[in-house]
Amino acid sequence: ASGEALKVMISGAPASGKGTQCEMIVQKYGLVHISTGDLLRAEVSSGSEIGNKAKEYMENGCLVPDEIVTAMVTSRLSREDAKKKGWLLDGYPRSSLQAQSLESLMIRPDIYVVLDVPDEILIDRCIGRRLDPVTGKIYHLKNFPPETDEIKARIITRPDDTHEKVKSRVETYKRNADSISSTYLDILNKIDGNRPKEVVFQEIDSLLSQVQRDKLKMISIE
Ligand code: AP5
Protein backbone atom coordinates (compact mmCIF):
# COMPACT_ATOMS: atom_id res chain seq x y z
CA ALA A 1 0.00 0.00 0.00
CA SER A 2 1.16 3.56 -0.65
CA GLY A 3 1.21 4.27 3.11
CA GLU A 4 4.30 2.08 3.33
CA ALA A 5 6.16 3.85 0.54
CA LEU A 6 9.31 5.64 1.69
CA LYS A 7 9.60 9.39 1.22
CA VAL A 8 13.16 10.64 1.32
CA MET A 9 14.68 14.07 0.90
CA ILE A 10 18.40 14.42 0.25
CA SER A 11 20.26 17.68 0.55
CA GLY A 12 23.81 18.99 0.65
CA ALA A 13 26.06 21.50 -1.07
CA PRO A 14 26.84 21.25 -4.80
CA ALA A 15 28.96 18.12 -5.38
CA SER A 16 28.38 16.77 -1.88
CA GLY A 17 27.42 13.50 -3.63
CA LYS A 18 23.62 13.67 -3.78
CA GLY A 19 23.34 12.31 -7.32
CA THR A 20 25.92 9.59 -6.63
CA GLN A 21 24.10 8.41 -3.50
CA CYS A 22 20.71 8.63 -5.22
CA GLU A 23 21.87 6.14 -7.88
CA MET A 24 22.67 3.66 -5.11
CA ILE A 25 19.49 4.37 -3.11
CA VAL A 26 17.28 3.88 -6.17
CA GLN A 27 19.00 0.61 -6.99
CA LYS A 28 18.25 -0.81 -3.56
CA TYR A 29 14.92 0.79 -2.63
CA GLY A 30 13.29 1.32 -6.04
CA LEU A 31 12.14 4.84 -5.14
CA VAL A 32 11.23 7.35 -7.84
CA HIS A 33 14.23 9.70 -8.08
CA ILE A 34 13.16 13.29 -8.56
CA SER A 35 16.20 15.49 -9.12
CA THR A 36 15.36 19.10 -9.89
CA GLY A 37 18.80 19.58 -11.46
CA ASP A 38 18.25 16.61 -13.81
CA LEU A 39 14.67 17.66 -14.63
CA LEU A 40 15.82 21.19 -15.41
CA ARG A 41 18.79 20.01 -17.50
CA ALA A 42 16.38 17.84 -19.52
CA GLU A 43 14.10 20.85 -20.08
CA VAL A 44 17.09 22.91 -21.23
CA SER A 45 18.28 20.30 -23.71
CA SER A 46 14.80 19.79 -25.13
CA GLY A 47 14.50 23.56 -25.66
CA SER A 48 11.11 23.71 -23.88
CA GLU A 49 9.59 26.93 -22.56
CA ILE A 50 10.66 26.03 -19.01
CA GLY A 51 14.12 25.13 -20.29
CA ASN A 52 14.54 28.44 -22.08
CA LYS A 53 13.57 30.32 -18.93
CA ALA A 54 15.86 28.22 -16.70
CA LYS A 55 18.95 28.07 -18.92
CA GLU A 56 20.60 31.35 -18.06
CA TYR A 57 20.10 30.99 -14.30
CA MET A 58 21.58 27.50 -14.34
CA GLU A 59 24.58 28.30 -16.50
CA ASN A 60 25.44 31.17 -14.19
CA GLY A 61 25.14 28.98 -11.10
CA CYS A 62 22.08 30.86 -9.81
CA LEU A 63 18.83 29.43 -8.50
CA VAL A 64 15.98 29.17 -11.00
CA PRO A 65 12.91 31.17 -9.81
CA ASP A 66 10.87 29.28 -7.20
CA GLU A 67 7.60 29.21 -9.13
CA ILE A 68 9.14 27.40 -12.12
CA VAL A 69 10.80 24.71 -10.00
CA THR A 70 7.92 24.27 -7.55
CA ALA A 71 5.37 23.64 -10.31
CA MET A 72 7.70 21.08 -11.84
CA VAL A 73 8.32 19.22 -8.58
CA THR A 74 4.75 19.15 -7.31
CA SER A 75 3.44 17.81 -10.60
CA ARG A 76 6.10 15.08 -10.61
CA LEU A 77 5.39 14.14 -6.98
CA SER A 78 1.68 13.77 -7.65
CA ARG A 79 2.18 11.12 -10.34
CA GLU A 80 1.00 7.61 -9.54
CA ASP A 81 4.45 5.96 -9.59
CA ALA A 82 5.81 8.33 -6.94
CA LYS A 83 2.83 7.68 -4.70
CA LYS A 84 3.09 3.94 -5.13
CA LYS A 85 6.85 3.31 -5.07
CA GLY A 86 7.82 6.20 -2.81
CA TRP A 87 10.09 9.08 -3.74
CA LEU A 88 13.58 10.42 -3.36
CA LEU A 89 13.64 14.18 -3.73
CA ASP A 90 17.08 15.54 -4.63
CA GLY A 91 17.86 19.27 -4.90
CA TYR A 92 14.54 20.53 -3.60
CA PRO A 93 13.69 22.47 -1.46
CA ARG A 94 16.55 24.90 -1.94
CA SER A 95 15.00 27.94 -0.26
CA SER A 96 12.71 28.43 2.72
CA LEU A 97 9.95 29.47 0.32
CA GLN A 98 10.25 26.12 -1.47
CA ALA A 99 10.14 24.27 1.86
CA GLN A 100 7.01 26.21 2.80
CA SER A 101 5.39 25.34 -0.53
CA LEU A 102 5.73 21.63 0.28
CA GLU A 103 4.52 22.13 3.84
CA SER A 104 1.43 23.95 2.65
CA LEU A 105 0.63 21.02 0.34
CA MET A 106 1.23 18.66 3.29
CA ILE A 107 4.08 16.99 1.41
CA ARG A 108 6.56 15.87 4.04
CA PRO A 109 9.36 13.33 3.84
CA ASP A 110 9.93 10.54 6.39
CA ILE A 111 13.59 11.50 6.61
CA TYR A 112 15.77 14.47 5.65
CA VAL A 113 19.36 13.46 4.84
CA VAL A 114 22.05 16.14 4.59
CA LEU A 115 25.48 15.30 3.15
CA ASP A 116 28.25 17.28 4.81
CA VAL A 117 31.48 17.89 2.83
CA PRO A 118 34.20 20.57 3.33
CA ASP A 119 34.33 23.42 0.78
CA GLU A 120 37.75 22.66 -0.73
CA ILE A 121 36.65 19.09 -1.51
CA LEU A 122 33.46 20.38 -3.17
CA ILE A 123 35.45 22.52 -5.59
CA ASP A 124 37.72 19.62 -6.57
CA ARG A 125 34.74 17.32 -7.10
CA CYS A 126 33.03 19.81 -9.42
CA ILE A 127 36.12 20.55 -11.47
CA GLY A 128 36.73 16.80 -12.01
CA ARG A 129 33.09 15.84 -12.56
CA ARG A 130 31.99 14.49 -15.95
CA LEU A 131 28.59 13.26 -17.09
CA ASP A 132 27.72 10.53 -19.55
CA PRO A 133 24.99 12.06 -21.71
CA VAL A 134 23.87 8.60 -22.84
CA THR A 135 23.32 6.90 -19.46
CA GLY A 136 23.19 9.96 -17.18
CA LYS A 137 25.90 8.37 -15.03
CA ILE A 138 28.17 10.64 -12.97
CA TYR A 139 31.96 10.26 -13.18
CA HIS A 140 35.01 12.00 -11.74
CA LEU A 141 38.27 12.14 -13.68
CA LYS A 142 40.33 11.09 -10.64
CA ASN A 143 37.88 9.45 -8.22
CA PHE A 144 35.62 7.52 -10.62
CA PRO A 145 37.03 7.52 -14.16
CA PRO A 146 34.86 6.09 -16.97
CA GLU A 147 35.06 2.32 -17.41
CA THR A 148 35.67 2.24 -21.19
CA ASP A 149 37.31 4.36 -23.92
CA GLU A 150 33.92 4.67 -25.58
CA ILE A 151 32.44 6.36 -22.50
CA LYS A 152 35.63 8.43 -22.04
CA ALA A 153 35.17 9.85 -25.53
CA ARG A 154 31.61 11.04 -24.95
CA ILE A 155 31.58 12.35 -21.35
CA ILE A 156 30.80 16.05 -20.94
CA THR A 157 31.46 18.83 -18.42
CA ARG A 158 28.57 20.78 -16.90
CA PRO A 159 28.66 24.49 -17.83
CA ASP A 160 28.15 25.43 -14.16
CA ASP A 161 31.19 23.43 -12.97
CA THR A 162 33.80 26.19 -13.26
CA HIS A 163 35.75 27.28 -10.18
CA GLU A 164 34.01 30.64 -9.93
CA LYS A 165 30.47 29.32 -10.43
CA VAL A 166 30.96 26.49 -7.97
CA LYS A 167 32.05 29.01 -5.33
CA SER A 168 28.92 31.05 -5.84
CA ARG A 169 26.69 27.92 -5.83
CA VAL A 170 28.25 26.85 -2.52
CA GLU A 171 27.63 30.32 -1.06
CA THR A 172 23.98 30.24 -2.15
CA TYR A 173 23.62 26.82 -0.56
CA LYS A 174 25.08 28.03 2.74
CA ARG A 175 22.85 31.11 2.82
CA ASN A 176 19.72 28.95 2.59
CA ALA A 177 20.72 25.76 4.42
CA ASP A 178 19.71 26.69 7.98
CA SER A 179 16.30 28.05 7.12
CA ILE A 180 15.47 24.87 5.19
CA SER A 181 16.82 22.55 7.90
CA SER A 182 14.69 24.31 10.50
CA THR A 183 11.58 22.98 8.73
CA TYR A 184 12.82 19.39 9.07
CA LEU A 185 14.71 19.43 12.39
CA ASP A 186 12.80 16.45 13.79
CA ILE A 187 13.77 14.19 10.87
CA LEU A 188 17.20 15.68 10.05
CA ASN A 189 20.18 13.31 9.70
CA LYS A 190 23.54 14.89 8.90
CA ILE A 191 26.04 12.50 7.33
CA ASP A 192 29.77 12.89 6.76
CA GLY A 193 29.92 12.84 2.94
CA ASN A 194 33.71 13.08 2.80
CA ARG A 195 34.28 9.33 2.83
CA PRO A 196 34.24 6.68 0.10
CA LYS A 197 30.84 6.56 -1.57
CA GLU A 198 30.16 2.98 -0.42
CA VAL A 199 30.77 3.98 3.21
CA VAL A 200 28.44 6.97 2.90
CA PHE A 201 25.83 4.71 1.34
CA GLN A 202 26.10 2.17 4.15
CA GLU A 203 25.12 4.85 6.65
CA ILE A 204 22.22 6.10 4.51
CA ASP A 205 21.10 2.52 3.90
CA SER A 206 20.92 1.72 7.60
CA LEU A 207 18.95 4.93 8.27
CA LEU A 208 16.47 4.19 5.48
CA SER A 209 15.92 0.59 6.49
CA GLN A 210 15.24 1.74 10.05
CA VAL A 211 12.67 4.27 8.81
CA GLN A 212 11.08 1.60 6.66
CA ARG A 213 10.81 -0.78 9.61
CA ASP A 214 9.27 1.98 11.76
CA LYS A 215 6.69 2.75 9.07
CA LEU A 216 5.69 -0.90 8.75
CA LYS A 217 5.30 -1.10 12.54
CA MET A 218 3.06 1.99 12.55
CA ILE A 219 0.89 0.53 9.81
CA SER A 220 0.47 -2.79 11.60
CA ILE A 221 -0.57 -0.93 14.81
CA GLU A 222 -3.15 1.11 12.86
P1 AP5 B 1 21.79 20.34 -9.20
O1 AP5 B 1 21.95 19.47 -10.38
O2 AP5 B 1 20.89 19.92 -8.10
O3 AP5 B 1 23.24 20.70 -8.68
P2 AP5 B 1 23.88 20.81 -7.22
O4 AP5 B 1 23.01 20.86 -6.04
O5 AP5 B 1 24.81 21.92 -7.39
O6 AP5 B 1 24.46 19.42 -7.01
P3 AP5 B 1 25.39 18.71 -7.95
O7 AP5 B 1 24.63 18.00 -9.02
O8 AP5 B 1 26.45 19.69 -8.40
O9 AP5 B 1 26.15 17.69 -7.02
P4 AP5 B 1 25.73 16.36 -6.29
O10 AP5 B 1 25.58 16.63 -4.84
O11 AP5 B 1 24.61 15.64 -6.99
O12 AP5 B 1 27.09 15.55 -6.45
P5 AP5 B 1 27.50 14.36 -7.45
O13 AP5 B 1 26.92 13.08 -6.95
O14 AP5 B 1 27.28 14.75 -8.87
O15 AP5 B 1 21.29 21.80 -9.66
C1 AP5 B 1 21.86 22.47 -10.75
C2 AP5 B 1 21.23 23.83 -10.95
O16 AP5 B 1 19.82 23.67 -11.21
C3 AP5 B 1 21.26 24.79 -9.75
O17 AP5 B 1 22.48 25.49 -9.67
C4 AP5 B 1 20.07 25.70 -10.08
O18 AP5 B 1 20.38 26.62 -11.08
C5 AP5 B 1 19.06 24.72 -10.63
N1 AP5 B 1 18.20 24.16 -9.58
C6 AP5 B 1 18.15 22.86 -9.17
N2 AP5 B 1 17.25 22.71 -8.18
C7 AP5 B 1 16.72 23.93 -7.95
C8 AP5 B 1 15.75 24.41 -7.02
N3 AP5 B 1 15.15 23.59 -6.14
N4 AP5 B 1 15.45 25.74 -7.06
C9 AP5 B 1 16.04 26.57 -7.92
N5 AP5 B 1 16.98 26.18 -8.81
C10 AP5 B 1 17.31 24.87 -8.84
O19 AP5 B 1 29.06 14.30 -7.15
C11 AP5 B 1 29.92 15.34 -7.54
C12 AP5 B 1 31.30 14.77 -8.00
O20 AP5 B 1 31.96 14.16 -6.89
C13 AP5 B 1 31.18 13.67 -9.07
O21 AP5 B 1 32.23 13.78 -9.97
C14 AP5 B 1 31.27 12.37 -8.27
O22 AP5 B 1 31.79 11.32 -9.04
C15 AP5 B 1 32.18 12.77 -7.12
N6 AP5 B 1 31.84 12.09 -5.85
C16 AP5 B 1 30.59 11.82 -5.36
N7 AP5 B 1 30.66 11.18 -4.17
C17 AP5 B 1 31.99 11.06 -3.88
C18 AP5 B 1 32.72 10.49 -2.76
N8 AP5 B 1 32.09 9.94 -1.71
N9 AP5 B 1 34.06 10.54 -2.80
C19 AP5 B 1 34.72 11.13 -3.86
N10 AP5 B 1 34.09 11.66 -4.94
C20 AP5 B 1 32.75 11.64 -4.95
Side-chain angles (χ1 to χ4, degrees):
S2 58
E4 294 165 31
L6 261 186
K7 292 173 282 182
V8 180
M9 222 178 235
I10 187 159
S11 177
S16 55
K18 302 181 293 294
T20 301
Q21 292 302 319
C22 285
E23 276 177 22
M24 294 191 265
I25 297 170
V26 167
Q27 208 165 27
K28 170 141 188 201
Y29 290 87
L31 305 177
V32 174
H33 179 207
I34 305 174
S35 154
T36 47
D38 288 350
L39 290 175
L40 286 167
R41 277 185 287 278
E43 296 283 354
V44 170
S45 40
S46 76
S48 70
E49 197 182 328
I50 292 182
N52 291 338
K53 282 189 194 151
K55 190 171 194 274
E56 208 175 311
Y57 294 98
M58 294 180 74
E59 289 190 348
N60 289 317
C62 302
L63 291 183
V64 174
D66 286 331
E67 60 277 14
I68 297 179
V69 189
T70 298
M72 208 177 66
V73 169
T74 51
S75 93
R76 187 63 191 87
L77 279 170
S78 65
R79 283 195 2 213
E80 210 44 50
D81 61 341
K83 288 188 185 157
K84 218 165 124 197
K85 296 183 188 162
W87 45 259
L88 172 59
L89 190 51
D90 159 11
Y92 190 97
R94 252 188 167 89
S95 65
S96 58
L97 199 74
Q98 292 182 3
Q100 288 320 311
S101 302
L102 291 186
E103 289 286 291
S104 67
L105 293 167
M106 313 247 269
I107 300 173
R108 221 180 143 73
D110 300 309
I111 182 166
Y112 182 64
V113 175
V114 178
L115 298 176
D116 193 26
V117 175
D119 289 6
E120 60 286 5
I121 307 270
L122 297 173
I123 308 272
D124 171 73
R125 284 192 188 177
C126 276
I127 304 299
R129 169 167 45 196
R130 296 293 182 274
L131 295 181
D132 181 348
V134 176
T135 61
K137 215 172 158 224
I138 308 161
Y139 293 95
H140 187 282
L141 290 180
K142 268 196 320 243
N143 307 346
F144 310 112
E147 299 89 346
T148 64
D149 285 342
E150 194 187 345
I151 303 174
K152 205 184 284 171
R154 69 183 185 217
I155 49 174
I156 52 166
T157 310
R158 266 169 52 174
D160 57 347
D161 271 347
T162 66
H163 197 279
E164 203 179 307
K165 288 178 195 166
V166 175
K167 270 179 83 176
S168 110
R169 284 160 58 202
V170 171
E171 273 157 29
T172 306
Y173 170 77
K174 287 186 171 165
R175 247 196 330 271
N176 290 318
D178 288 347
S179 70
I180 301 168
S181 297
S182 68
T183 309
Y184 302 111
L185 277 184
D186 53 331
I187 49 167
L188 173 80
N189 282 275
K190 203 178 213 177
I191 290 181
D192 176 4
N194 190 20
R195 295 174 295 171
K197 63 178 179 180
E198 295 78 12
V199 178
V200 177
F201 178 66
Q202 250 171 25
E203 197 173 333
I204 296 179
D205 186 18
S206 77
L207 284 169
L208 297 192
S209 40
Q210 185 59 51
V211 172
Q212 203 165 42
R213 279 196 297 273
D214 291 346
K215 276 174 83 89
L216 284 169
K217 237 187 266 165
M218 288 293 287
I219 287 165
S220 65
I221 292 168
E222 282 163 14

